[in-house]
Amino acid sequence: MAAHVQRSIGTISPPQEYQFCFASNSKLFREYIGAESNSMKLSDVPINSKVEFHFILAFAIDYTDDNHPSPTNGKFNVFWETNHLGPGQIGSFKGSNSNVKIAVSLGGDSVGSGKAFFAPKSKTSWVQNGVSSLTYMINKYHIDGIDIDYEHFKASPEMFAECIGQLITILKKSGTISFASIAPYEEINSHYLALWRKYGHVIDYVNFQFYAYDKLSVSHFISNFKKQASNYEGGQLLASFESGGGGGLKPANGFFEACNELKDQGKLGGIFIWCAEESKNKGFQYEKKSQDLLAA
């Protein structure tokens, strides 16, 4: 996710019509937290009791957590800032906020000073290591679900699909997690669509990174939303923006207008924001507005 990295996919095509089945409106709000500051607390973020709220810890990565990170073939380590996002704080916060769930995001854009690659040695060993290390982490930190956010690959789309699909399937069957999401953007859709085509039935939410596009108008945002809903047909697709920069459609330029239009059409699967740290100096005004829109 690492929103400081600006991506461009070039020229945006004119709005088009797409024919397919949408998921219905949802009151789901999700926010990434833990990647950019060691002072953020869950309690800093305003929570509307009328929505389902997911904090997504960014990130757990299958790399060594030392000065020279290297791939560990599915043995995940904690890379989010745990100063205020440790097991005790998470467990206590969930205990007093019944509408809050916690996810952990796997991968991300970077680790240390380099890119975080999906680099399995083999399907079997990666899945076994992933299940073992994540089961321990999920139980320790009171986590409810996982989010898949690999953005760089040293494996084929087919290998990615099998490793991730089997990981989610096993964690769900064991009751370790209750939901899973993916976080694609246009340039890496080939890997995520391979996963979706075979394992879409175990994926609950699509956190599409619409802020990875160049600047969008309201009509182009809606067109791209419908395009991705067609790609991930039947999935619960969330609208998104980056609070501290990035591209896509910003709140000041019509994001909420677009969301209201999608909601009026029964097509808004929720909203997610990257990220809490970048929203703090804005007083979380867009978190409040997003949740009010979903709850109305």
Side-chain angles (χ1 to χ4, degrees):
M1 189 73 62
H4 59 275
V5 178
Q6 178 58 41
R7 312 181 188 92
S8 172
I9 64 161
T11 304
I12 303 298
S13 57
Q16 302 178 50
E17 290 298 323
Y18 295 92
Q19 301 298 323
F20 50 90
C21 176
F22 273 104
S24 58
N25 286 338
S26 165
K27 294 184 179 181
L28 176 63
F29 178 79
R30 315 186 85 201
E31 179 140 50
Y32 289 84
I33 190 169
E36 298 184 4
S37 170
N38 63 7
S39 64
M40 279 295 303
K41 300 177 182 178
L42 299 175
S43 57
D44 290 337
V45 184
I47 295 173
N48 186 322
S49 62
K50 296 180 181 179
V51 304
E52 180 177 355
F53 195 113
H54 291 184
F55 281 110
I56 306 175
L57 302 170
F59 293 95
I61 313 175
D62 54 331
Y63 270 65
T64 57
D65 54 354
D66 52 30
N67 292 331
H68 302 284
S70 60
T72 58
N73 190 39
K75 296 178 182 178
F76 284 89
N77 287 305
V78 170
F79 280 84
W80 71 84
E81 295 288 351
T82 58
N83 194 31
H84 296 290
L85 300 173
Q89 294 97 328
I90 292 173
S92 175
F93 192 81
K94 286 177 65 180
S96 57
N97 293 272
S98 60
N99 64 321
V100 170
K101 294 181 180 179
I102 305 293
V104 59
S105 189
L106 310 183
D109 176 69
S110 60
V111 57
S113 59
K115 294 178 179 178
F117 283 94
F118 177 73
K121 291 182 178 178
S122 73
K123 178 181 67 177
T124 299
S125 62
W126 191 93
V127 172
Q128 288 177 343
N129 289 338
V131 168
S132 176
S133 60
L134 286 172
T135 297
Y136 174 80
M137 184 186 299
I138 287 164
N139 290 332
K140 178 178 179 180
Y141 285 90
H142 309 285
I143 291 167
D144 303 289
I146 61 173
D147 175 63
I148 308 301
D149 187 29
Y150 282 101
E151 303 186 0
H152 308 285
F153 306 91
K154 290 184 177 179
S156 68
E158 292 73 25
M159 174 67 88
F160 177 70
E162 285 302 323
C163 289
I164 299 299
Q166 290 189 26
L167 175 71
I168 295 171
T169 299
I170 293 169
L171 291 175
K172 279 194 163 187
K173 282 185 176 179
S174 68
T176 305
I177 61 172
S178 58
F179 61 84
S181 60
I182 55 175
Y185 56 94
E186 189 77 45
E187 291 175 319
I188 57 174
N189 254 349
S190 61
H191 278 76
Y192 282 89
L193 288 173
L195 170 63
W196 182 260
R197 281 191 289 268
K198 189 163 184 181
Y199 289 97
H201 61 283
V202 297
I203 297 168
D204 301 278
Y205 315 116
V206 180
N207 281 16
F208 197 87
Q209 299 183 49
F210 288 102
Y211 45 83
Y213 285 107
D214 289 332
K215 184 178 179 180
L216 297 173
S217 65
V218 170
S219 62
H220 278 128
F221 182 91
I222 291 173
S223 175
N224 279 289
F225 188 95
K226 292 180 178 180
K227 174 185 176 183
Q228 299 309 328
S230 178
N231 283 335
Y232 297 94
E233 184 169 1
Q236 185 170 332
L237 178 66
L238 284 74
S240 64
F241 66 90
E242 181 184 336
S243 54
L249 182 60
K250 309 294 287 184
N253 298 328
F255 175 81
F256 293 110
E257 178 186 341
C259 286
N260 274 315
E261 185 171 334
L262 290 167
K263 186 178 180 183
D264 288 345
Q265 296 173 16
K267 300 171 182 176
L268 183 62
I271 296 172
F272 83 85
I273 298 176
W274 176 276
C275 59
E277 289 85 350
E278 295 178 8
S279 294
K280 190 172 184 178
N281 64 0
K282 299 179 175 65
F284 299 105
Q285 58 178 310
Y286 299 134
E287 280 77 0
K288 295 173 186 174
K289 192 166 184 178
S290 295
Q291 292 175 79
D292 288 346
L293 185 154
L294 294 169

